[in-house]
């Protein structure tokens, strides 16, 4: 059967296409596009001459083709990734071809399950700090209200900073927290704008973004330089044996092979930025929405608490406890289905390709959307309903591999999958053992940024259990 060359899609307005719908609520616009036009949809936005055209693929089969079986033909060559490279460097998230393969080979040993399990101490240390903060902080005491979006962002950023920098955690947290949202908004706006002024022009937006980028780079460069100087002074052997030498920055500094060499200062900084940003925003999103969903579903909360309560008392949860938390793991997976941290994933085709029976032209901007595929009625019964038991082993085994892909897939699958799951499950277990949760805000307004963004609070009343 010949591929369909005329890809369906909404007509939109004569001059602006679907631009207004995408600006008002892009997540709903993508859902409506699938409902009205099927699993491969063409969306256009903007005036003639500078119009953006997006080919959206919603089926699990189509997602698998783009991310896995035909991955070489769908590259990170679009405008968004170019803007991200200019602001956040050429690390694992943005690198391609030989650069990406070399970086991945050097860094992969630091993200094996065995190595990631050693990061659990930092996770539980920061989770315990949040437990105490909620108990003592004004407005967040034994029976207070907290915004889990803000709280989990803080927890995740402190955790990844501690794992990266060890004792230098405080030096990075405030700088990243204050400045990277400015960079993120700038990248998103330029990444999807049909026309951008040069970054060198002295516009207020350019100056703000440049200042924020410099601040983020500077703190990373300073910590890296201090660590390398300390290692040089102490000597490689003593630095390797020291406690502070076992943080991820030191491991990255020492990563090398005969084939690939080692990371230079710029490459090291780029990797640090990737881990700080991707490693905290995505995990924070998952933890925050998991807490909010549990606060709205008391039966699921009780079941998760009973499971966490069965862990040995008198000590924080550890990596060895993950297998004892299957229901909480299902809660997290169901959260990532409903609220995927990366709701939209972009690529650009090199050559024309048949995807799910449709012909995608060469040079096309292509989107796969966990936000939509995770709600596809052909893949999920009652898709808007929160049901962690969808991820019971028998149900998972029966589903298409790409019905659920919060960590991407194929050769560019997220290197930090196990770390994200470890951090989220252990932190949630620590919080649920200490607090009952009750939702104050029942709905959270959302927008698609580099990651899924809550545009309002997600307040939860926390009551101390013990």
């Amino acid at each position: 059967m010949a591929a369909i060359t005329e890809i369906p899609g909404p007509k939109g307005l004569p001059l602006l296409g679907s631009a207004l719908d995408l600006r008002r609520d892009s997540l709903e616009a993508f859902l409506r596009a699938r409902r009205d036009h099927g699993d491969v949809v063409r969306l256009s936005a903007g005036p003639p001459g500078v119009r953006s055209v997006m080919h959206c693929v919603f089926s699990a089969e189509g997602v698998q083709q783009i991310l896995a079986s035909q991955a070489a033909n769908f590259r990170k060559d679009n405008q968004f990734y170019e803007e991200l490279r200019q602001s956040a460097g050429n690390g694992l998230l943005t690198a391609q071809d030989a650069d990406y393969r070399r970086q991945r080979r050097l860094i992969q040993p630091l993200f094996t399950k065995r190595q990631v399990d050693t990061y659990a101490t930092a996770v539980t240390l920061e989770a315990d700090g949040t437990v105490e903060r909620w108990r003592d902080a004004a407005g967040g005491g034994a029976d207070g209200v907290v915004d889990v979006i803000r709280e989990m962002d803080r927890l995740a950023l402190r955790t990844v900073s501690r794992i990266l920098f060890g004792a230098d955690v405080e030096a990075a947290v405030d700088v990243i927290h204050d400045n990277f949202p400015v960079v993120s908004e700038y990248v998103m706006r330029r990444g999807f704008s049909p026309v951008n002024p040069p970054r060198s022009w002295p516009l207020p937006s350019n100056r703000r973004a440049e200042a924020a980028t410099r601040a983020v780079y500077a703190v990373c460069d300073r910590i890296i330089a201090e660590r390398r100087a300390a290692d040089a002074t102490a000597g490689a052997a003593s630095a390797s044996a020291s406690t502070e030498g076992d943080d991820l920055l030191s491991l990255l500094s020492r990563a090398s092979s005969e084939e690939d060499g080692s990371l230079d200062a710029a490459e090291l900084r780029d990797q640090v930025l990737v881990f700080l940003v991707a490693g905290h925003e995505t995990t924070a999103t998952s933890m925050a929405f998991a807490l909010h969903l549990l606060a709205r579903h008391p039966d699921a909360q009780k079941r998760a608490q009973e499971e966490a309560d069965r862990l040995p008392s008198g000590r924080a949860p550890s990596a060895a406890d993950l297998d004892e938390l299957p229901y909480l793991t299902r809660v997290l997976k169901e959260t990532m289905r409903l609220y995927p941290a990366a709701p939209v994933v972009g690529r650009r085709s090199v050559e024309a390709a048949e995807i799910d029976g449709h012909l995608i032209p060469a040079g096309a901007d292509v989107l796969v959307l966990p936000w939509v595929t995770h709600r596809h009625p052909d893949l999920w019964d009652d898709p808007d309903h929160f049901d962690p038991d969808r991820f019971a082993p028998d149900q998972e085994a029966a589903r298409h591999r790409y019905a659920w892909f919060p960590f991407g897939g194929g050769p560019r699958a997220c290197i930090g999958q196990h770390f994200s799951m470890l951090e989220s499950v252990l932190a949630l277990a620590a919080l649920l053992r200490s607090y009952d949760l009750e939702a104050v805000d029942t709905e959270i307004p959302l927008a698609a940024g580099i990651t899924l963004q809550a545009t309002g609070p997600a307040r939860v009343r926390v009551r101390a259990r013990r």
Side-chain angles (χ1 to χ4, degrees):
M1 184 175 178
I4 299 170
T5 56
E6 292 294 326
I7 297 175
K11 291 183 179 179
L13 298 173
L15 289 179
L16 296 178
S18 296
L20 294 183
D21 287 340
L22 290 167
R23 175 168 291 187
R24 277 193 294 261
D25 188 344
S26 63
L27 298 174
E28 177 57 33
F30 290 131
L31 287 170
R32 187 166 57 249
R34 189 212 61 78
R35 281 197 306 267
D36 295 345
H37 302 286
D39 282 338
V40 181
V41 176
R42 184 181 184 275
L43 281 170
S44 61
V50 290
R51 179 162 290 181
S52 299
V53 177
M54 296 161 279
H55 296 76
C56 305
V57 177
F58 305 124
S59 68
E61 292 82 1
V63 172
Q64 181 171 17
Q65 288 174 290
I66 289 166
L67 295 184
S69 60
Q70 298 187 45
N73 192 51
F74 293 94
R75 296 165 48 82
K76 292 186 173 184
D77 283 340
N78 58 25
Q79 180 176 320
F80 167 76
Y81 278 110
E82 180 54 37
E83 291 293 336
L84 188 58
R85 282 185 197 97
Q86 291 190 50
S87 290
N90 195 43
L92 273 180
L93 183 62
T94 53
Q96 298 197 101
D97 304 325
D99 283 346
Y100 174 78
R101 291 190 294 272
R102 173 177 168 272
Q103 291 177 22
R104 183 96 184 194
R105 286 193 299 266
L106 283 169
I107 296 168
Q108 185 70 58
L110 310 186
F111 285 89
T112 62
K113 181 180 184 302
R114 181 178 180 181
Q115 180 61 40
V116 166
D117 286 351
T118 68
Y119 307 146
T121 300
V123 172
T124 54
L125 182 65
E126 292 298 338
D128 287 346
T130 300
V131 168
E132 292 307 312
R133 231 168 51 79
W134 285 6
R135 201 181 309 279
D136 299 333
D143 189 2
V145 173
V146 299
D147 179 356
V148 292
I149 300 293
R150 289 178 177 271
E151 291 294 312
M152 293 304 100
D153 184 76
R154 182 182 187 277
L155 171 58
L157 182 53
R158 286 186 60 87
T159 299
V160 76
S161 295
R162 182 173 294 281
I163 289 167
L164 270 168
F165 303 136
D168 294 311
V169 58
E170 300 293 347
V173 167
D174 289 343
V175 173
I176 299 298
H177 188 271
D178 292 344
N179 289 282
F180 199 78
V182 177
V183 179
S184 178
E185 189 276 333
Y186 182 72
V187 168
M188 282 299 297
R189 180 162 44 80
R190 291 178 62 90
F192 291 96
S193 174
V195 178
N196 283 312
R199 286 181 174 231
S200 59
W201 285 11
L203 302 173
S205 59
N206 285 348
R207 288 178 170 177
R208 282 194 301 271
E210 183 182 5
T213 301
R214 281 201 308 267
V216 172
Y217 276 22
V219 72
C220 294
D221 286 342
R222 179 179 63 76
I223 294 171
I224 290 167
E226 289 174 356
R227 180 63 46 78
R228 284 188 153 173
D231 284 355
T233 300
S238 59
S240 297
S242 72
T243 300
E244 291 189 1
D246 287 334
D247 60 47
L248 187 54
L249 174 56
S250 291
L251 295 174
L252 283 167
S253 297
R254 298 198 297 267
S256 64
S257 73
E258 185 174 336
E259 177 186 2
D260 297 312
S262 60
L263 299 171
D264 63 27
E267 290 176 317
L268 188 57
R269 189 216 23 224
D270 290 348
Q271 304 310 330
V272 166
L273 282 174
V274 168
F275 297 144
L276 277 173
V277 178
H280 108 263
E281 285 200 341
T282 53
T283 304
T285 297
S286 299
M287 291 193 296
F289 283 106
L291 289 173
H292 195 259
L293 284 166
L294 289 172
R296 291 169 51 198
H297 297 85
D299 290 345
Q301 181 183 160
K302 181 180 179 182
R303 189 171 165 187
Q305 285 173 323
E306 289 173 347
E307 186 176 77
D309 288 345
R310 288 194 290 270
L311 297 179
S313 60
R315 67 163 176 81
S318 69
D321 294 321
L322 278 182
D323 290 341
E324 306 304 316
L325 298 166
Y327 184 72
L328 190 51
T329 301
R330 293 178 205 173
V331 166
L332 183 62
K333 288 182 174 181
E334 175 71 342
T335 299
M336 290 190 287
R337 182 185 72 83
L338 289 168
Y339 299 101
V344 182
V345 177
R347 295 289 189 268
R348 180 167 285 172
S349 60
V350 179
E351 299 177 348
E354 183 176 339
I355 300 295
D356 200 16
H358 294 73
L359 187 65
I360 303 292
D365 285 319
V366 180
L367 303 179
V368 295
L369 298 103
W371 181 262
V372 180
T373 304
H374 288 187
R375 288 171 166 78
H376 200 305
D378 292 348
L379 301 169
W380 307 93
D381 295 330
D382 196 7
D384 292 324
H385 176 62
F386 174 66
D387 179 11
D389 285 327
R390 298 179 197 273
F391 290 90
D394 59 331
Q395 292 205 42
E396 279 198 290
R399 244 185 332 261
H400 193 289
R401 159 65 182 86
Y402 285 87
W404 182 82
F405 59 108
F407 298 108
R412 301 291 306 232
C414 176
I415 199 172
Q417 291 184 45
H418 180 61
F419 170 65
S420 180
M421 295 296 294
L422 173 88
E423 177 183 356
S424 299
V425 172
L426 294 187
L428 291 173
L431 295 169
L432 290 169
R433 290 208 297 186
S434 298
Y435 292 99
D436 291 322
L437 312 173
E438 177 189 349
V440 175
D441 299 305
T442 55
E443 298 296 331
I444 308 171
L446 301 170
I450 292 179
T451 56
L452 185 67
Q453 301 292 314
T455 57
R459 291 172 296 177
V460 168
R461 179 168 287 105
V462 296
R463 295 190 175 93
R465 299 180 65 208
R466 54 187 175 186

